[in-house]
Amino acid sequence: MTEPKTHHLGNLKAYYTKKGRTWCVEEDGKLTKFKSIEAMVEAYPDLLKVEPIQMSVDRRALARTKTTPVTLQEAARNADILSKTVTCYYCAGNGTVAFMPCPNCGGVGKIKVSTRGL
């Protein structure tokens, strides 16, 4: 099994053991074990100066925040409905398809599109 990556700060040595899923801190030969990185940082706040530990604490805190995603319906309620008249794509603007009136535009050659359906 590979050795855990150790982080050194002064006389502190911190590392994570995968086998027991614990964070360990050695200080002057004394070993202290923690169940989470937050508990370890609470006991030893100086370890936040180590960049990988700080990044891990920040990432875990961000994962715990509850955010509600903005749905398309909520955004559509606040947005203005835009519309415009364009050339019919089905009949290319001439109003007939196979010698019959276009079923898309009704033989007009133009259709009105809007952002209502989006």
Side-chain angles (χ1 to χ4, degrees), residues 11-105:
N11 61 346
L12 295 176
K13 178 181 172 185
Y15 55 91
Y16 178 75
T17 59
K18 290 184 181 181
K19 184 176 181 183
R21 292 186 176 179
T22 57
W23 280 91
C24 300
V25 177
E26 292 181 14
E27 182 179 21
D28 299 326
K30 179 183 152 196
L31 179 67
T32 310
K33 294 184 178 186
F34 300 96
K35 288 288 182 187
S36 68
I37 193 169
E38 289 84 6
M40 178 184 73
V41 170
E42 188 176 321
Y44 295 98
D46 292 338
L47 287 173
L48 285 174
K49 295 177 185 173
V50 179
E51 188 176 347
I53 293 176
Q54 176 66 43
M55 287 173 47
S56 181
V57 169
D58 292 342
R59 185 174 43 239
R60 286 174 55 96
L62 184 63
R64 272 190 240 103
T65 59
K66 299 289 183 186
T67 58
T68 56
V70 176
T71 62
L72 190 56
Q73 292 173 348
E74 292 174 10
R77 282 188 215 135
N78 299 333
D80 294 333
I81 297 173
L82 305 173
S83 62
K84 67 179 180 177
T85 304
V86 296
T87 304
C88 178
Y89 63 90
Y90 198 72
C91 65
N94 63 11
T96 59
V97 176
F99 305 107
M100 297 183 66
C102 176
N104 193 35
C105 65

Coordinates of all heavy atoms in Angstrom, one line a residue, residues 11-105:
N11 N 6.3 22.1 13.5 CA 6.5 20.8 14.1 C 5.3 19.9 13.9 O 5.2 18.8 14.5 CB 6.8 20.9 15.6 CG 5.7 21.6 16.3 OD1 4.8 22.2 15.7 ND2 5.7 21.6 17.7
L12 N 4.3 20.3 13.1 CA 3.1 19.5 12.8 C 3.3 18.7 11.5 O 3.9 19.1 10.6 CB 1.9 20.4 12.6 CG 1.5 21.2 13.8 CD1 0.3 22.1 13.5 CD2 1.0 20.3 15.0
K13 N 2.8 17.5 11.6 CA 2.8 16.6 10.4 C 1.4 16.0 10.3 O 0.9 15.3 11.2 CB 3.8 15.5 10.7 CG 3.9 14.4 9.6 CD 4.9 13.4 9.9 CE 4.9 12.2 9.0 NZ 5.8 11.1 9.4
A14 N 0.7 16.4 9.2 CA -0.7 16.0 9.0 C -0.8 15.1 7.8 O -0.1 15.3 6.8 CB -1.6 17.2 8.9
Y15 N -1.6 14.0 7.9 CA -1.9 13.1 6.8 C -3.2 12.5 6.9 O -3.8 12.4 8.0 CB -0.7 12.1 6.6 CG -0.5 11.3 7.9 CD1 -1.1 10.1 8.1 CD2 0.4 11.7 8.8 CE1 -0.9 9.3 9.2 CE2 0.7 11.0 9.9 CZ 0.0 9.8 10.1 OH 0.2 9.0 11.2
Y16 N -3.7 11.9 5.8 CA -5.0 11.2 5.7 C -4.7 9.8 5.5 O -4.0 9.4 4.6 CB -5.9 11.8 4.6 CG -7.2 11.1 4.4 CD1 -8.2 11.4 5.3 CD2 -7.4 10.3 3.4 CE1 -9.5 10.8 5.2 CE2 -8.7 9.7 3.2 CZ -9.7 9.9 4.1 OH -10.9 9.3 4.0
T17 N -5.3 8.9 6.3 CA -5.2 7.5 6.1 C -6.5 6.9 5.5 O -7.6 7.2 6.0 CB -5.0 6.7 7.4 OG1 -6.0 7.0 8.3 CG2 -3.7 7.2 8.1
K18 N -6.4 6.3 4.3 CA -7.6 5.8 3.6 C -8.1 4.6 4.3 O -9.3 4.3 4.3 CB -7.2 5.4 2.2 CG -6.9 6.6 1.3 CD -6.6 6.2 -0.1 CE -6.3 7.4 -0.9 NZ -6.1 7.0 -2.3
K19 N -7.3 3.8 5.0 CA -7.8 2.6 5.6 C -8.8 2.9 6.7 O -9.9 2.3 6.7 CB -6.6 1.8 6.2 CG -7.0 0.5 6.8 CD -5.9 -0.3 7.3 CE -6.3 -1.7 7.9 NZ -5.2 -2.4 8.4
G20 N -8.6 3.8 7.6 CA -9.5 4.1 8.6 C -10.3 5.4 8.4 O -11.2 5.7 9.2
R21 N -10.0 6.0 7.2 CA -10.7 7.2 6.8 C -10.6 8.3 8.0 O -11.6 8.9 8.4 CB -12.2 7.0 6.5 CG -12.4 6.2 5.2 CD -13.8 6.2 4.9 NE -14.0 5.5 3.6 CZ -15.2 5.3 3.1 NH1 -16.2 5.7 3.6 NH2 -15.2 4.7 1.9
T22 N -9.4 8.4 8.4 CA -9.1 9.4 9.5 C -8.0 10.3 9.1 O -7.1 10.0 8.3 CB -8.7 8.7 10.8 OG1 -7.6 7.9 10.6 CG2 -9.9 7.8 11.3
W23 N -8.1 11.5 9.6 CA -7.0 12.5 9.5 C -6.1 12.4 10.8 O -6.7 12.3 11.9 CB -7.5 13.9 9.4 CG -8.0 14.2 8.0 CD1 -9.2 14.1 7.5 CD2 -7.2 14.8 7.0 NE1 -9.3 14.5 6.2 CE2 -8.0 14.9 5.9 CE3 -5.9 15.2 6.9 CZ2 -7.6 15.4 4.7 CZ3 -5.4 15.7 5.7 CH2 -6.3 15.8 4.6
C24 N -4.8 12.3 10.6 CA -3.9 12.2 11.7 C -3.0 13.4 11.8 O -2.5 13.9 10.7 CB -3.1 10.9 11.6 SG -4.1 9.4 11.5
V25 N -2.7 13.8 13.0 CA -1.8 14.9 13.2 C -0.7 14.5 14.2 O -1.1 14.0 15.3 CB -2.5 16.2 13.7 CG1 -1.4 17.3 14.0 CG2 -3.5 16.7 12.7
E26 N 0.5 14.5 13.8 CA 1.6 14.2 14.8 C 2.3 15.5 15.2 O 2.7 16.3 14.3 CB 2.6 13.3 14.1 CG 2.1 11.9 13.8 CD 3.1 11.0 13.2 OE1 4.3 11.4 13.2 OE2 2.8 10.0 12.6
E27 N 2.4 15.7 16.5 CA 3.0 16.9 17.0 C 3.9 16.4 18.1 O 3.5 15.9 19.2 CB 1.9 17.8 17.6 CG 2.5 19.1 18.2 CD 1.5 20.1 18.7 OE1 0.4 19.6 19.0 OE2 1.8 21.2 18.8
D28 N 5.2 16.6 17.9 CA 6.3 16.2 18.8 C 6.1 14.7 19.3 O 6.2 14.4 20.4 CB 6.3 17.1 20.1 CG 6.6 18.5 19.7 OD1 7.3 18.8 18.7 OD2 6.0 19.4 20.3
G29 N 5.8 13.8 18.3 CA 5.7 12.4 18.6 C 4.3 12.0 19.1 O 4.1 10.8 19.3
K30 N 3.4 12.9 19.4 CA 2.1 12.6 19.9 C 1.1 12.6 18.7 O 1.1 13.5 17.9 CB 1.7 13.7 20.9 CG 0.3 13.5 21.4 CD -0.1 14.7 22.3 CE -1.6 14.9 22.3 NZ -2.0 16.2 22.8
L31 N 0.4 11.5 18.6 CA -0.5 11.3 17.5 C -2.0 11.6 17.9 O -2.4 11.1 18.9 CB -0.4 9.8 17.0 CG -1.3 9.4 15.8 CD1 -1.0 10.2 14.6 CD2 -1.3 7.9 15.6
T32 N -2.6 12.4 17.1 CA -4.0 12.7 17.4 C -4.8 12.4 16.1 O -4.4 12.7 15.0 CB -4.2 14.2 17.7 OG1 -3.3 14.6 18.7 CG2 -5.6 14.5 18.2
K33 N -5.9 11.6 16.2 CA -6.8 11.2 15.1 C -8.1 12.0 15.1 O -8.7 12.3 16.1 CB -7.0 9.7 15.1 CG -5.8 8.9 15.0 CD -6.1 7.5 14.9 CE -4.8 6.6 14.7 NZ -5.1 5.2 14.5
F34 N -8.5 12.3 13.9 CA -9.8 13.1 13.7 C -10.6 12.4 12.6 O -10.1 11.8 11.7 CB -9.5 14.5 13.2 CG -8.7 15.3 14.2 CD1 -7.3 15.4 14.0 CD2 -9.3 15.9 15.3 CE1 -6.5 16.1 14.9 CE2 -8.5 16.6 16.2 CZ -7.1 16.7 16.0
K35 N -11.9 12.4 12.8 CA -12.9 11.8 11.8 C -13.1 12.6 10.6 O -13.4 12.1 9.5 CB -14.2 11.5 12.5 CG -14.2 10.3 13.4 CD -14.0 9.1 12.7 CE -14.0 7.9 13.6 NZ -13.7 6.6 12.9
S36 N -12.9 13.9 10.7 CA -13.1 14.8 9.5 C -12.0 15.9 9.5 O -11.3 16.2 10.5 CB -14.4 15.5 9.6 OG -14.5 16.4 10.6
I37 N -11.8 16.5 8.3 CA -10.8 17.5 8.2 C -11.2 18.8 8.9 O -10.4 19.5 9.4 CB -10.6 17.8 6.7 CG1 -9.3 18.7 6.5 CG2 -11.8 18.5 6.0 CD1 -8.8 18.8 5.1
E38 N -12.6 19.0 9.1 CA -13.0 20.2 9.8 C -12.7 20.1 11.3 O -12.3 21.1 11.9 CB -14.6 20.3 9.6 CG -15.0 20.8 8.3 CD -15.1 19.6 7.3 OE1 -15.0 18.4 7.7 OE2 -15.3 19.9 6.1
A39 N -12.8 18.9 11.9 CA -12.4 18.7 13.3 C -10.9 18.9 13.5 O -10.5 19.5 14.5 CB -12.9 17.3 13.7
M40 N -10.2 18.5 12.5 CA -8.7 18.6 12.6 C -8.3 20.1 12.5 O -7.5 20.6 13.3 CB -8.0 17.9 11.4 CG -6.5 18.0 11.4 SD -5.7 17.2 10.0 CE -6.2 18.3 8.7
V41 N -8.9 20.8 11.6 CA -8.6 22.2 11.4 C -9.1 23.0 12.7 O -8.5 24.0 13.0 CB -9.2 22.8 10.1 CG1 -9.1 24.3 10.0 CG2 -8.5 22.1 8.9
E42 N -10.2 22.6 13.3 CA -10.7 23.3 14.5 C -9.7 23.1 15.6 O -9.5 24.1 16.4 CB -12.0 22.7 14.9 CG -12.7 23.4 16.0 CD -14.1 22.9 16.3 OE1 -14.8 22.5 15.3 OE2 -14.4 22.8 17.5
A43 N -9.1 22.0 15.7 CA -8.1 21.7 16.8 C -6.8 22.4 16.4 O -6.1 22.8 17.3 CB -7.9 20.2 17.0
Y44 N -6.4 22.4 15.2 CA -5.1 22.9 14.7 C -5.4 24.0 13.6 O -5.2 23.7 12.4 CB -4.2 21.8 14.2 CG -3.8 20.9 15.3 CD1 -4.4 19.6 15.4 CD2 -2.7 21.1 16.1 CE1 -4.0 18.7 16.3 CE2 -2.3 20.2 17.1 CZ -3.0 19.0 17.2 OH -2.6 18.1 18.1
P45 N -5.8 25.2 13.9 CA -6.1 26.2 12.9 C -4.9 26.6 12.0 O -5.1 27.1 10.9 CB -6.7 27.3 13.6 CG -6.4 27.1 15.1 CD -6.1 25.7 15.3
D46 N -3.7 26.4 12.5 CA -2.5 26.7 11.8 C -2.4 25.9 10.5 O -1.7 26.3 9.5 CB -1.3 26.5 12.6 CG -1.2 27.5 13.7 OD1 -1.8 28.6 13.6 OD2 -0.4 27.3 14.7
L47 N -3.0 24.7 10.5 CA -3.0 23.9 9.3 C -3.7 24.5 8.1 O -3.5 24.0 6.9 CB -3.5 22.5 9.6 CG -2.6 21.6 10.5 CD1 -3.4 20.3 10.9 CD2 -1.3 21.3 9.8
L48 N -4.5 25.5 8.3 CA -5.1 26.1 7.1 C -4.1 26.9 6.3 O -4.4 27.3 5.2 CB -6.2 27.1 7.6 CG -7.5 26.4 8.1 CD1 -8.5 27.5 8.7 CD2 -8.2 25.7 6.9
K49 N -2.9 27.1 6.8 CA -1.9 27.7 6.0 C -1.4 26.8 4.9 O -0.8 27.3 3.9 CB -0.7 28.2 6.9 CG -1.1 29.3 7.9 CD 0.0 29.6 8.8 CE -0.4 30.6 9.8 NZ 0.6 30.8 10.8
V50 N -1.6 25.5 5.0 CA -1.2 24.5 4.0 C -2.2 24.6 2.9 O -3.4 24.3 3.1 CB -1.0 23.1 4.6 CG1 -0.6 22.1 3.6 CG2 0.0 23.1 5.8
E51 N -1.8 24.9 1.7 CA -2.7 25.1 0.6 C -3.6 23.9 0.3 O -4.8 24.1 0.1 CB -1.9 25.5 -0.7 CG -2.8 26.0 -1.8 CD -2.1 26.5 -3.0 OE1 -0.9 26.7 -2.9 OE2 -2.7 26.6 -4.0
P52 N -3.1 22.6 0.2 CA -4.0 21.5 -0.1 C -5.1 21.3 1.0 O -6.2 21.0 0.6 CB -3.1 20.3 -0.2 CG -1.7 20.9 -0.5 CD -1.7 22.2 0.1
I53 N -4.7 21.5 2.2 CA -5.7 21.4 3.3 C -6.8 22.5 3.2 O -8.0 22.3 3.3 CB -5.0 21.4 4.6 CG1 -4.2 20.1 4.8 CG2 -6.0 21.5 5.8 CD1 -3.3 20.0 6.1
Q54 N -6.3 23.7 2.9 CA -7.2 24.9 2.7 C -8.2 24.6 1.6 O -9.4 24.9 1.7 CB -6.5 26.2 2.5 CG -7.4 27.4 2.3 CD -8.2 27.7 3.5 OE1 -7.7 27.8 4.6 NE2 -9.4 28.1 3.2
M55 N -7.7 24.1 0.5 CA -8.5 23.8 -0.7 C -9.6 22.7 -0.4 O -10.7 22.8 -0.8 CB -7.7 23.4 -1.9 CG -6.9 24.5 -2.5 SD -5.7 24.0 -3.8 CE -6.6 22.9 -4.8
S56 N -9.2 21.7 0.4 CA -10.1 20.7 0.7 C -11.2 21.2 1.6 O -12.4 20.8 1.5 CB -9.3 19.5 1.4 OG -10.2 18.5 1.7
V57 N -10.9 22.0 2.6 CA -11.9 22.6 3.5 C -12.8 23.4 2.7 O -14.0 23.4 2.9 CB -11.2 23.4 4.6 CG1 -12.2 24.2 5.4 CG2 -10.4 22.4 5.6
D58 N -12.3 24.3 1.8 CA -13.2 25.1 1.0 C -14.1 24.3 0.1 O -15.3 24.6 0.0 CB -12.3 26.1 0.2 CG -11.6 27.1 1.0 OD1 -12.0 27.3 2.2 OD2 -10.6 27.7 0.5
R59 N -13.6 23.3 -0.5 CA -14.4 22.4 -1.4 C -15.5 21.7 -0.7 O -16.6 21.7 -1.1 CB -13.4 21.4 -2.1 CG -14.1 20.6 -3.1 CD -13.2 19.7 -3.9 NE -12.2 19.1 -3.0 CZ -10.9 19.2 -3.1 NH1 -10.4 19.9 -4.1 NH2 -10.1 18.6 -2.3
R60 N -15.2 21.2 0.5 CA -16.2 20.6 1.3 C -17.3 21.6 1.8 O -18.5 21.2 1.9 CB -15.6 19.8 2.5 CG -14.8 18.6 2.1 CD -14.1 18.0 3.3 NE -14.9 17.7 4.4 CZ -15.5 16.5 4.7 NH1 -15.3 15.5 3.8 NH2 -16.2 16.3 5.7
A61 N -16.9 22.8 2.2 CA -17.8 23.8 2.6 C -18.7 24.2 1.4 O -19.9 24.4 1.6 CB -17.1 25.0 3.1
L62 N -18.2 24.3 0.2 CA -19.0 24.6 -0.9 C -20.0 23.5 -1.3 O -21.1 23.8 -1.7 CB -18.0 24.9 -2.1 CG -18.7 25.4 -3.4 CD1 -19.4 26.7 -3.2 CD2 -17.7 25.5 -4.5
A63 N -19.6 22.3 -1.1 CA -20.4 21.2 -1.4 C -21.6 21.1 -0.4 O -22.7 20.6 -0.8 CB -19.7 19.9 -1.3
R64 N -21.5 21.7 0.8 CA -22.6 21.6 1.7 C -23.6 22.8 1.6 O -24.7 22.7 2.1 CB -22.0 21.7 3.1 CG -21.7 20.3 3.7 CD -21.4 20.4 5.1 NE -20.0 19.9 5.3 CZ -18.9 20.6 5.5 NH1 -19.0 21.9 5.6 NH2 -17.8 20.1 5.6
T65 N -23.3 23.8 0.8 CA -24.2 24.9 0.6 C -25.3 24.5 -0.3 O -25.2 23.8 -1.3 CB -23.5 26.1 0.0 OG1 -23.0 25.7 -1.3 CG2 -22.4 26.7 0.8
K66 N -26.5 24.9 0.1 CA -27.7 24.5 -0.6 C -28.1 25.7 -1.5 O -28.4 26.8 -1.1 CB -28.9 24.3 0.3 CG -28.7 23.2 1.3 CD -28.7 21.9 0.6 CE -28.6 20.7 1.7 NZ -28.5 19.5 1.1
T67 N -28.0 25.4 -2.8 CA -28.4 26.4 -3.8 C -29.5 25.8 -4.6 O -29.6 24.7 -5.0 CB -27.2 26.8 -4.8 OG1 -26.8 25.6 -5.4 CG2 -26.1 27.4 -4.0
T68 N -30.5 26.7 -4.9 CA -31.6 26.3 -5.8 C -31.3 26.7 -7.2 O -31.1 27.9 -7.4 CB -32.9 26.8 -5.3 OG1 -32.8 28.3 -5.3 CG2 -33.3 26.3 -3.9
P69 N -31.3 25.8 -8.2 CA -31.0 26.2 -9.5 C -32.1 27.0 -10.1 O -33.3 26.7 -9.8 CB -30.8 24.9 -10.3 CG -31.5 23.9 -9.4 CD -31.4 24.4 -8.0
V70 N -31.8 28.0 -11.0 CA -32.9 28.7 -11.6 C -33.4 27.9 -12.8 O -32.7 27.5 -13.7 CB -32.3 30.1 -12.2 CG1 -33.3 30.8 -12.9 CG2 -31.8 30.9 -11.0
T71 N -34.7 27.7 -12.8 CA -35.3 26.9 -13.8 C -35.7 27.8 -15.0 O -35.8 29.0 -14.8 CB -36.5 26.1 -13.4 OG1 -37.5 27.1 -12.9 CG2 -36.2 25.2 -12.2
L72 N -35.9 27.2 -16.1 CA -36.2 28.0 -17.3 C -37.5 28.7 -17.2 O -37.7 29.8 -17.6 CB -36.2 27.0 -18.5 CG -36.3 27.7 -19.9 CD1 -35.2 28.7 -20.1 CD2 -36.2 26.7 -21.0
Q73 N -38.5 28.1 -16.5 CA -39.8 28.7 -16.3 C -39.7 29.9 -15.4 O -40.4 30.9 -15.7 CB -40.7 27.7 -15.7 CG -41.1 26.5 -16.6 CD -41.9 25.5 -15.9 OE1 -42.1 25.5 -14.7 NE2 -42.4 24.6 -16.7
E74 N -38.9 29.9 -14.4 CA -38.7 31.1 -13.5 C -38.1 32.2 -14.3 O -38.4 33.4 -14.2 CB -37.9 30.8 -12.3 CG -38.5 29.8 -11.3 CD -37.6 29.4 -10.2 OE1 -36.5 30.0 -10.1 OE2 -38.0 28.5 -9.4
A75 N -37.1 31.9 -15.1 CA -36.4 32.9 -15.9 C -37.4 33.5 -17.0 O -37.3 34.7 -17.3 CB -35.2 32.3 -16.6
A76 N -38.2 32.6 -17.5 CA -39.1 33.1 -18.6 C -40.2 34.0 -18.0 O -40.7 34.9 -18.7 CB -39.8 31.9 -19.3
R77 N -40.6 33.8 -16.8 CA -41.6 34.7 -16.2 C -41.1 36.2 -16.1 O -41.8 37.1 -16.2 CB -41.9 34.2 -14.8 CG -42.9 33.1 -14.8 CD -43.3 32.8 -13.4 NE -43.5 31.3 -13.3 CZ -43.0 30.6 -12.3 NH1 -42.5 31.1 -11.3 NH2 -43.2 29.3 -12.3
N78 N -39.8 36.3 -15.8 CA -39.2 37.6 -15.6 C -38.8 38.3 -17.0 O -38.6 39.5 -17.0 CB -38.1 37.6 -14.7 CG -38.5 37.1 -13.3 OD1 -39.6 37.2 -12.9 ND2 -37.6 36.5 -12.6
A79 N -38.6 37.5 -18.0 CA -38.1 38.0 -19.3 C -39.3 38.5 -20.1 O -40.4 38.1 -20.0 CB -37.4 36.9 -20.0
D80 N -39.0 39.5 -21.0 CA -39.9 40.0 -21.9 C -40.1 39.0 -23.1 O -39.2 38.3 -23.4 CB -39.5 41.3 -22.5 CG -39.4 42.4 -21.5 OD1 -40.2 42.3 -20.5 OD2 -38.6 43.3 -21.6
I81 N -41.3 38.9 -23.6 CA -41.6 38.0 -24.7 C -41.3 38.8 -26.0 O -41.9 39.9 -26.3 CB -43.1 37.6 -24.7 CG1 -43.3 36.7 -23.5 CG2 -43.4 36.7 -26.0 CD1 -44.8 36.4 -23.2
L82 N -40.4 38.3 -26.7 CA -39.9 38.9 -28.0 C -40.6 38.2 -29.2 O -40.7 37.0 -29.1 CB -38.4 38.9 -28.1 CG -37.6 39.6 -26.9 CD1 -36.2 39.4 -27.1 CD2 -38.0 41.0 -26.8
S83 N -40.9 38.9 -30.2 CA -41.5 38.2 -31.4 C -41.1 39.0 -32.6 O -40.8 40.2 -32.6 CB -43.0 38.1 -31.3 OG -43.6 39.4 -31.3
K84 N -41.1 38.2 -33.8 CA -40.7 38.9 -35.0 C -41.3 38.0 -36.1 O -41.7 36.8 -35.9 CB -39.2 39.0 -35.2 CG -38.5 37.7 -35.3 CD -37.0 38.0 -35.6 CE -36.2 36.7 -35.7 NZ -34.8 37.0 -36.0
T85 N -41.5 38.6 -37.3 CA -42.0 37.9 -38.5 C -40.9 37.6 -39.4 O -40.1 38.4 -39.7 CB -43.0 38.8 -39.2 OG1 -44.0 39.2 -38.3 CG2 -43.7 38.1 -40.4
V86 N -40.8 36.3 -39.8 CA -39.8 35.8 -40.6 C -40.3 35.0 -41.8 O -41.5 34.7 -41.8 CB -38.8 34.8 -39.8 CG1 -38.1 35.6 -38.7 CG2 -39.5 33.7 -39.3
T87 N -39.5 34.8 -42.8 CA -39.9 34.0 -43.9 C -40.1 32.5 -43.5 O -39.4 32.0 -42.7 CB -38.8 34.0 -45.0 OG1 -38.5 35.4 -45.3 CG2 -39.2 33.3 -46.3
C88 N -41.2 31.9 -44.0 CA -41.5 30.5 -43.7 C -40.4 29.6 -44.1 O -40.0 29.7 -45.3 CB -42.8 30.1 -44.3 SG -43.3 28.4 -44.0
Y89 N -39.9 28.8 -43.2 CA -38.8 27.9 -43.6 C -39.4 26.7 -44.4 O -38.6 26.0 -45.1 CB -38.2 27.3 -42.3 CG -39.0 26.5 -41.4 CD1 -39.2 25.2 -41.6 CD2 -39.8 27.1 -40.4 CE1 -40.0 24.4 -40.7 CE2 -40.6 26.4 -39.6 CZ -40.7 25.0 -39.8 OH -41.5 24.3 -39.0
Y90 N -40.6 26.3 -44.3 CA -41.2 25.1 -44.9 C -41.4 25.4 -46.4 O -41.1 24.5 -47.2 CB -42.5 24.8 -44.3 CG -43.0 23.4 -44.5 CD1 -42.3 22.3 -43.9 CD2 -44.1 23.1 -45.3 CE1 -42.7 21.0 -44.2 CE2 -44.5 21.8 -45.6 CZ -43.8 20.8 -45.0 OH -44.3 19.5 -45.2
C91 N -41.9 26.5 -46.8 CA -42.1 26.8 -48.2 C -41.2 27.8 -48.8 O -41.3 28.2 -50.0 CB -43.6 27.3 -48.4 SG -43.9 28.9 -47.6
A92 N -40.2 28.2 -48.1 CA -39.2 29.2 -48.5 C -39.8 30.5 -48.9 O -39.3 31.3 -49.7 CB -38.3 28.6 -49.6
G93 N -40.9 30.9 -48.3 CA -41.5 32.2 -48.5 C -42.5 32.3 -49.7 O -43.1 33.4 -49.9
N94 N -42.7 31.3 -50.5 CA -43.6 31.4 -51.7 C -45.0 31.0 -51.3 O -45.9 31.3 -52.2 CB -43.0 30.7 -52.9 CG -43.0 29.2 -52.7 OD1 -43.5 28.7 -51.7 ND2 -42.3 28.5 -53.6
G95 N -45.3 30.4 -50.2 CA -46.6 30.1 -49.8 C -47.2 28.8 -50.3 O -48.3 28.4 -49.9
T96 N -46.5 28.1 -51.2 CA -47.0 26.8 -51.7 C -46.0 25.7 -51.6 O -44.8 25.9 -51.7 CB -47.4 27.0 -53.2 OG1 -46.2 27.4 -53.9 CG2 -48.5 28.0 -53.5
V97 N -46.6 24.6 -51.3 CA -45.8 23.4 -51.2 C -46.5 22.3 -52.1 O -47.6 22.0 -51.8 CB -45.6 22.9 -49.8 CG1 -44.9 21.5 -49.7 CG2 -45.0 23.9 -48.9
A98 N -45.8 21.8 -53.1 CA -46.4 20.8 -54.0 C -47.7 21.3 -54.6 O -48.7 20.6 -54.6 CB -46.5 19.5 -53.4
F99 N -47.8 22.5 -55.1 CA -48.9 23.1 -55.7 C -50.1 23.3 -54.8 O -51.3 23.4 -55.2 CB -49.4 22.4 -57.0 CG -48.3 22.2 -57.9 CD1 -47.6 21.0 -58.1 CD2 -47.8 23.3 -58.7 CE1 -46.6 20.9 -59.1 CE2 -46.8 23.2 -59.6 CZ -46.2 22.0 -59.8
M100 N -49.9 23.2 -53.4 CA -50.9 23.4 -52.4 C -50.5 24.5 -51.5 O -49.3 24.8 -51.3 CB -51.2 22.1 -51.7 CG -51.7 21.0 -52.6 SD -52.1 19.5 -51.7 CE -53.5 20.0 -50.7
P101 N -51.4 25.1 -50.8 CA -51.0 26.1 -49.8 C -50.1 25.5 -48.7 O -50.4 24.4 -48.3 CB -52.3 26.6 -49.2 CG -53.3 26.3 -50.2 CD -52.8 25.1 -50.9
C102 N -49.1 26.2 -48.2 CA -48.2 25.7 -47.2 C -49.0 25.5 -45.9 O -49.7 26.3 -45.4 CB -47.1 26.7 -47.0 SG -46.0 26.3 -45.7
P103 N -48.8 24.3 -45.3 CA -49.5 24.0 -44.0 C -48.9 24.7 -42.8 O -49.6 24.9 -41.8 CB -49.3 22.5 -43.9 CG -48.1 22.1 -44.7 CD -48.1 23.1 -45.8
N104 N -47.7 25.2 -43.0 CA -47.0 25.9 -41.9 C -47.5 27.3 -41.8 O -47.8 27.8 -40.7 CB -45.5 25.8 -42.1 CG -44.8 26.2 -40.8 OD1 -45.2 25.9 -39.7 ND2 -43.6 26.8 -41.0
C105 N -47.5 28.1 -42.9 CA -47.8 29.5 -42.9 C -49.2 29.8 -43.4 O -49.6 30.9 -43.4 CB -46.8 30.3 -43.6 SG -46.7 29.9 -45.4

